[in-house]
């Protein structure tokens, strides 16, 4: 049997340890290499000699569900036109058909997130029921006659229905001999509720007029007169809140791929039998002639067979300057035509296009990204079994000491209850909520707790150029009148301002981004142009103030218009070596000078690099732009290491290469071509004014375009992680300190409740320190 690469969708995982268990189970099969990602709930498996059914069976044997992704919805490419015709004949709306994913790509749109909605419903209902229980239990003035029975009625739905996800997960783990935080939560909640029920029915707690005792140290015999309903309810609500926050963070994991694939053209104009017709992009075939007009996206990869235009390829290459294409030029699907009309012969369609390939790169990067296992789960791997053993020891110890069954049971149950992680449920969510709230005020969005741990260890930050270090917008960098070009002569009175004005006047009729930059740099009142004519890919001409003016490529002026540009050529070569686009201007057959247009370095980028270096990070510039433009930007901001002319796949390879060198890498970018690299980096920083695909792939989103905020984001993430670790330490410490008292039978319910309340208050107060973050 040949090697099989398959992706399984895993269900039933509740924590990172579940993903580890599934991964170990799969890797025990002969010839299987598996990676399970808890965040995306997917397993990527390479197997030799094991078919998909055996893989699914292995996952089910571990106590989880596994399914193969649904087959693609699109019809086979060869049959696409006939399928389209049948759809039309049967009344299917072609517009709807065009919104389907391209062939070979799984539908990235998730089914309605019933899990998150159910969690939210459980949280809201449980919180509403638990609040009066807690108030009645902790405020003596509210303890009316038979209040305890009302508390029981309110707490029962919380314990049974609200905490059901924890009970179910604990049962699954128990069947496979494992214990996680779900086990401790379930056992603690059920123990608190069970003992309360016992005390109400068989003890003295159910008597009318019962009040909760406030003595700090109780007696073992007093256990049957106390109830723990507020503990069972509060723990359930706190843990549900934490799980809901985590669920929302996980839900965004598919947004990067969805945003990327949404950039593809939905339909296209195709020439068939000499007739132009509009068809869904999914119906395109190799060899189709696609008509693309200005402002439209190219629907497939192909070769230009007719026409000439400027094409904005920044989507794929990161190049800020549109590329001039004409007959014979290769073009990429989803790029934007900004000039003239093109006729493109499709060479790659559907799953073979560059955009689809980038989608696969992004999905592979996300699936292969090692998610940091949450600290609480790691500690609980030791803490949970130890607590359960101590509870059994306490129970057995009292029995062996000759105490009654009631005393022994009270000590054992109290040990479980005091260990129940009330503050632990708040430790991560409160710090994350306060940290993200403060971050939103500073223009920083943290995706979730899983992104924080890497910020402490990050030592390298890789920066995209266009849109991250630079503005991504063309502007005039330099104006060189002919008299300033190494002694060349020019008509008297032609200054830099005159040169810009003349060029802007003739360029005003063009929609090319370079022309728009020249017009923006000129004065508002421009001379009137007559006889305007654009020569796509070369330049423009017109009559300005009675003089024939041409502006465009230096070689075009020399070859087509026989203008002497020799004196300007060396300076033009220098400007082009720095990545600028050079426009030569001439009037009445005489060269007037040069205008250099280029992407602009942000004024805050140099300061941002200094701040990142101060955090111990080494900056690396990684761009699809040409080496000249990259070197110019790097010099301007103080970056020593530059990698230019890199494709999207090359960016992903560069990140992994740095990681293989032992570096912990952060990546900052804003384009679709950065999405896979952002997902593969240990910490992805997406600039918020970039594309949806980049934002969804990043771990941290920087709202706006100021790179200095990236340094602030790393500082905030590190501070939030420190608070979370402090919270987790104290959450366990309070419980651990009270366990000996519980085992000795000296812990009454209110002391347990007070200890939990105090630990919770400490955790919340500690988290609120993040509000003062600067």
């Amino acid at each position: 049997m040949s090697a099989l690469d398959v992706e399984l969708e895993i269900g039933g995982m509740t924590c990172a340890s579940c993903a580890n268990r599934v991964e170990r189970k799969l890797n025990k099969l002969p010839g299987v290499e598996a990676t399970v990602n808890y965040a995306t709930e997917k397993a990527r498996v390479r197997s030799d000699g094991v078919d998909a059914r055996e893989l699914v069976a292995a996952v089910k044997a571990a106590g989880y569900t596994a399914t193969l992704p649904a087959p693609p919805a699109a019809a086979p490419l060869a049959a696409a036109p006939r399928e389209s015709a049948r759809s039309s004949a049967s009344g299917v709306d072609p517009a709807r058909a065009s919104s389907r994913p391209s062939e070979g790509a799984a539908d990235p749109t998730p089914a309605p997130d019933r899990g998150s909605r159910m969690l939210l419903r459980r949280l809201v209902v449980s919180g509403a029921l638990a609040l009066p229980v807690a108030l009645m239990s902790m405020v003596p003035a509210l303890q009316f006659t038979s209040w305890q029975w009302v508390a029981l009625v309110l707490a029962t739905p919380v314990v049974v229905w609200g905490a059901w996800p924890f009970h179910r997960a604990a049962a699954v783990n128990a069947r496979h001999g494992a214990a996680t935080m779900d086990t401790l939560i379930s056992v603690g909640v059920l123990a608190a509720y069970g003992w309360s029920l016992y005390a109400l029915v068989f003890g003295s707690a159910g008597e009318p007029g019962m009040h909760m005792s406030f003595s700090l140290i109780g007696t073992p015999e007093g256990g049957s007169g106390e109830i723990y309903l507020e503990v069972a309810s509060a723990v359930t609500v706190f843990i549900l809140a934490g799980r809901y926050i985590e669920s929302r963070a996980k839900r965004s994991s598919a947004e990067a791929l969805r945003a990327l694939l949404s950039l593809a053209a939905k339909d296209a104009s195709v020439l068939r039998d000499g007739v132009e017709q509009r068809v869904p992009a999914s119906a395109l075939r190799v060899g189709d002639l696609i008509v693309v007009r200005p402002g439209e996206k190219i629907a497939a990869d192909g070769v230009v067979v007719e026409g000439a235009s400027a094409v904005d390829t920044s989507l794929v290459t990161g190049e800020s300057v549109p590329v001039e294409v004409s007959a014979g030029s290769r073009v990429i699907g989803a790029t934007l035509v900004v000039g003239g009309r093109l006729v493109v012969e499709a060479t790659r369609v559907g799953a073979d296009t560059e955009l689809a390939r980038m989608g696969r790169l992004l999905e592979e990067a996300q699936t292969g990204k090692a998610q940091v296992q949450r600290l609480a789960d790691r500690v609980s791997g030791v803490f949970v079994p130890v607590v359960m053993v101590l509870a059994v020891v306490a129970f057995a110890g009292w029995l062996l000491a000759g105490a009654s069954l009631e005393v022994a049971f009270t000590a054992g149950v109290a040990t479980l209850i005091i260990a129940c992680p009330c503050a632990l449920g708040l430790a991560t969510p409160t710090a994350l909520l306060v940290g993200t709230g403060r971050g939103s005020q500073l223009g920083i969005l943290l995706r979730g707790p899983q992104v924080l741990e890497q910020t402490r260890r990050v030592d390298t930050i890789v920066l995209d150029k266009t849109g991250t270090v630079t503005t991504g917008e063309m502007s005039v960098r330099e104006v060189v009148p002919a008299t300033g070009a190494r002694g060349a002569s020019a008509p008297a009175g032609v200054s830099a301002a005159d040169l810009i004005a003349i060029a802007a006047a003739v360029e005003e009729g063009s929609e090319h981004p370079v022309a728009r930059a020249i017009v923006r740099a000129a004065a508002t009142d421009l001379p009137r142009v007559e006889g305007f004519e654009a020569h796509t890919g070369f330049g423009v001409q017109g009559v300005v103030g009675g003089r024939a003016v041409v502006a465009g490529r230096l070689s075009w002026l020399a070859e087509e218009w026989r203008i002497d540009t020799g004196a300007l050529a060396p300076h033009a070569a220098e400007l082009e070596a720095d990545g600028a686009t050079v426009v030569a201007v001439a009037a009445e057959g005489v060269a007037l000078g040069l205008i250099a247009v280029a992407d602009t370095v942000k004024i805050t980028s140099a300061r941002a690099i200094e701040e990142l270096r101060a955090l111990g990070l080494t900056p690396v510039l990684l761009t699809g732009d040409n080496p000249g433009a990259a070197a110019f930007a790097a010099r301007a901001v103080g970056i020593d290491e530059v990698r230019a002319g890199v494709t999207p796949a090359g960016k992903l390879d560069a990140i992994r290469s740095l990681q293989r060198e032992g570096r912990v890498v952060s990546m900052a970018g804003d384009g679709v071509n950065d999405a896979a690299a952002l997902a593969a980096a240990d910490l992805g920083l997406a600039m918020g004014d970039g594309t949806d695909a980049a934002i969804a792939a990043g771990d941290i989103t920087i709202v706006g375009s100021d790179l200095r905020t990236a340094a602030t984001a790393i500082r905030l993430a590190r501070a939030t992680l420190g608070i979370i670790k402090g919270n987790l330490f104290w959450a366990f410490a309070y419980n651990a300190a009270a366990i000996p008292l519980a085992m000795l039978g000296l812990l009454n319910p209110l002391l347990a409740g007070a200890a939990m309340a105090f630990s919770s208050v400490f955790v919340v107060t500690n988290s609120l320190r993040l509000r003062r973050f600067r």
Side-chain angles (χ1 to χ4, degrees):
M1 184 179 293
S2 60
L4 173 70
D5 286 306
V6 67
E7 187 177 80
L8 300 176
E9 295 176 355
I10 309 297
M13 296 192 296
T14 59
C15 61
S17 58
C18 295
N20 292 336
R21 191 172 304 119
V22 175
E23 189 171 299
R24 287 197 302 269
K25 190 74 173 178
L26 286 170
N27 284 324
K28 284 181 181 178
L29 296 174
V32 170
E33 294 180 11
T35 301
V36 180
N37 190 319
Y38 170 55
T40 60
E41 297 182 337
K42 290 182 179 179
R44 186 171 292 278
V45 187
R46 182 174 179 80
S47 64
D48 188 2
V50 179
D51 63 22
R53 288 173 297 180
E54 293 180 76
L55 299 175
V56 170
V59 175
K60 289 182 177 178
Y64 305 91
T65 64
T67 57
L68 292 169
L77 294 176
R82 289 190 295 273
E83 291 294 333
S84 177
R86 282 199 297 268
S87 298
S88 300
S90 59
V92 175
D93 184 357
R96 293 184 180 181
S98 67
S99 66
R100 295 180 305 193
S102 297
E103 191 219 345
D107 186 355
T109 304
D113 194 347
R114 297 184 185 89
S116 290
R117 290 205 303 270
M118 180 57 76
L119 270 176
L120 180 60
R121 190 179 303 121
R122 289 182 196 273
L123 174 60
V124 171
V125 174
S126 298
L129 295 174
L131 181 61
V133 174
L135 290 175
M136 286 187 291
S137 300
M138 305 302 294
V139 182
L142 299 178
Q143 294 174 359
F144 53 86
T145 303
S146 299
W147 67 270
Q148 66 272 39
W149 294 100
V150 175
L152 176 66
V153 171
L154 294 174
T156 298
V158 178
V159 170
V160 176
W161 177 76
W164 176 249
F166 313 130
H167 304 324
R168 182 178 53 201
V172 170
N173 290 324
R175 284 201 305 269
H176 298 277
T180 65
M181 285 308 304
D182 288 318
T183 305
L184 191 56
I185 294 165
S186 177
V187 171
V189 168
L190 291 177
Y193 180 80
W195 180 252
S196 301
L197 193 60
Y198 168 83
L200 286 168
V201 176
F202 300 104
S204 58
E207 297 176 359
M210 186 278 281
H211 291 277
M212 298 283 277
S213 171
F214 279 90
S215 59
L216 293 179
I217 302 297
T219 60
E221 291 78 12
S224 63
E226 306 289 357
I227 59 176
Y228 295 80
L229 293 173
E230 81 286 359
V231 174
S233 302
V235 167
T236 299
V237 171
F238 289 142
I239 304 300
L240 280 174
R243 290 291 169 86
Y244 176 67
I245 293 171
E246 183 181 3
S247 175
R248 287 195 54 153
K250 283 172 56 183
R251 189 172 56 188
S252 65
S253 62
E255 290 180 0
L257 185 59
R258 189 161 61 251
L260 178 62
L261 296 183
S262 70
L263 295 171
K266 301 298 185 295
D267 49 24
S269 293
V270 180
L271 284 173
R272 287 179 180 162
D273 300 324
V275 178
E276 187 175 327
Q277 54 182 291
R278 205 77 181 169
V279 301
S282 58
L284 290 174
R285 297 173 297 178
V286 173
D288 275 342
L289 296 179
I290 306 169
V291 179
V292 193
R293 293 177 174 80
E296 293 182 344
K297 289 180 180 179
I298 301 172
D301 297 355
V303 177
V304 177
V305 295
E306 182 184 320
S309 174
V311 177
D312 182 358
T313 63
S314 59
L315 170 74
V316 175
T317 66
E319 287 275 3
S320 54
V321 182
V323 176
E324 300 289 349
V325 298
S326 55
S329 300
R330 294 194 172 274
V331 291
I332 300 172
T335 53
L336 185 69
V337 173
V338 296
R341 173 183 179 274
L342 296 178
V343 177
V344 177
E345 181 181 352
T347 57
R348 291 188 296 182
V349 297
D352 296 327
T353 63
E354 185 71 13
L355 184 68
R357 193 171 69 87
M358 288 171 60
R360 289 193 294 273
L361 280 174
L362 174 56
E363 190 169 19
E364 288 169 9
Q366 283 191 327
T367 304
K369 182 176 181 179
Q371 297 293 324
V372 181
Q373 190 177 20
R374 291 177 59 182
L375 185 59
D377 287 319
R378 293 204 301 268
V379 176
S380 69
V382 177
F383 186 71
V384 174
V386 168
V387 167
M388 301 187 75
V389 169
L390 290 177
V392 173
V393 168
F395 177 77
W398 278 101
L399 285 180
L400 292 174
S404 66
L405 181 62
E406 179 182 296
V407 171
F409 188 69
T410 300
V413 170
T415 302
L416 285 175
I417 291 172
I418 192 58
C420 200
C422 181
L424 188 62
L426 289 172
T428 297
T430 52
L432 189 64
L433 283 172
V434 178
T436 53
R438 180 61 183 145
S440 65
Q441 295 173 339
L442 299 172
I444 301 161
L445 302 177
L446 302 178
R447 172 170 287 192
Q450 72 276 8
V451 310
L452 299 175
E453 289 198 43
Q454 294 290 34
T455 62
R456 191 180 298 275
R457 300 191 297 113
V458 164
D459 55 30
T460 302
I461 182 162
V462 176
L463 303 166
D464 172 51
K465 181 184 77 70
T466 307
T468 303
V469 173
T470 64
T471 62
E473 189 172 291
M474 306 297 290
S475 64
V476 173
R477 181 192 292 176
E478 191 173 346
V479 181
V480 186
T483 50
R486 305 191 176 182
S489 60
V494 177
S495 63
D498 292 335
L499 181 57
I500 277 282
I502 293 170
V506 74
E507 293 278 17
E508 192 174 21
S510 173
E511 292 299 321
H512 196 286
V514 170
R516 296 295 90 202
I518 293 174
V519 172
R520 283 196 302 270
T524 358
D525 298 326
L526 296 175
R528 184 180 175 185
V529 62
E530 298 174 350
F532 171 81
E533 187 176 346
H535 300 266
T536 305
F538 298 100
V540 295
Q541 70 179 90
V543 178
V544 179
R547 294 191 296 170
V549 176
V550 291
R553 295 185 180 186
L554 196 69
S555 58
W556 182 58
L557 267 65
E559 296 168 8
E560 182 72 18
W561 298 93
R562 307 298 181 188
I563 295 172
D564 182 9
T565 58
L568 296 173
H571 205 143
E574 291 177 7
L575 293 170
E576 288 173 345
D578 277 340
T581 297
V582 178
V583 176
V585 185
E588 295 296 330
V590 178
L592 301 183
L594 306 173
I595 299 173
V597 177
D599 194 1
T600 311
V601 175
K602 296 176 184 177
I603 58 174
T604 57
S605 292
R607 177 60 183 164
I609 299 303
E610 293 177 10
E611 293 182 11
L612 291 167
R613 287 188 187 277
L615 289 171
L617 306 183
T618 301
V620 177
L621 190 66
L622 184 67
T623 177
D625 221 335
N626 64 76
F632 181 87
R635 287 196 303 270
V637 299
I639 297 177
D640 301 322
E641 188 175 347
V642 181
R643 302 187 184 191
V646 183
T647 64
K651 289 190 175 186
L652 181 58
D653 291 339
I655 295 294
R656 289 175 172 165
S657 172
L658 290 169
Q659 290 169 332
R660 284 194 296 270
E661 293 172 10
R663 301 201 207 181
V664 182
V665 182
S666 176
M667 166 75 183
D670 74 326
V672 174
N673 59 312
D674 302 320
L678 284 167
D682 298 291
L683 181 71
L685 297 168
M687 306 304 288
D689 57 354
T691 63
D692 291 342
I695 292 171
D699 298 309
I700 298 176
T701 299
I702 309 300
V703 179
S705 59
D706 192 342
L707 188 58
R708 290 177 300 179
T709 312
T712 305
I714 292 175
R715 285 197 299 269
L716 175 62
R718 289 178 177 178
T720 304
L721 176 63
I723 293 292
I724 288 175
K725 287 187 173 181
N727 286 349
L728 292 173
F729 171 79
W730 287 109
F732 281 112
Y734 283 124
N735 293 18
I739 285 175
L741 291 177
M743 294 180 69
L744 292 173
L746 301 176
L747 189 67
N748 73 18
L750 287 187
L751 182 59
M756 289 186 183
F758 182 68
S759 63
S760 299
V761 169
F762 176 85
V763 162
V764 172
T765 305
N766 192 41
S767 299
L768 289 175
R769 291 168 48 210
L770 287 169
R771 295 175 64 181
R772 300 193 298 272
F773 177 84
R774 294 288 182 270

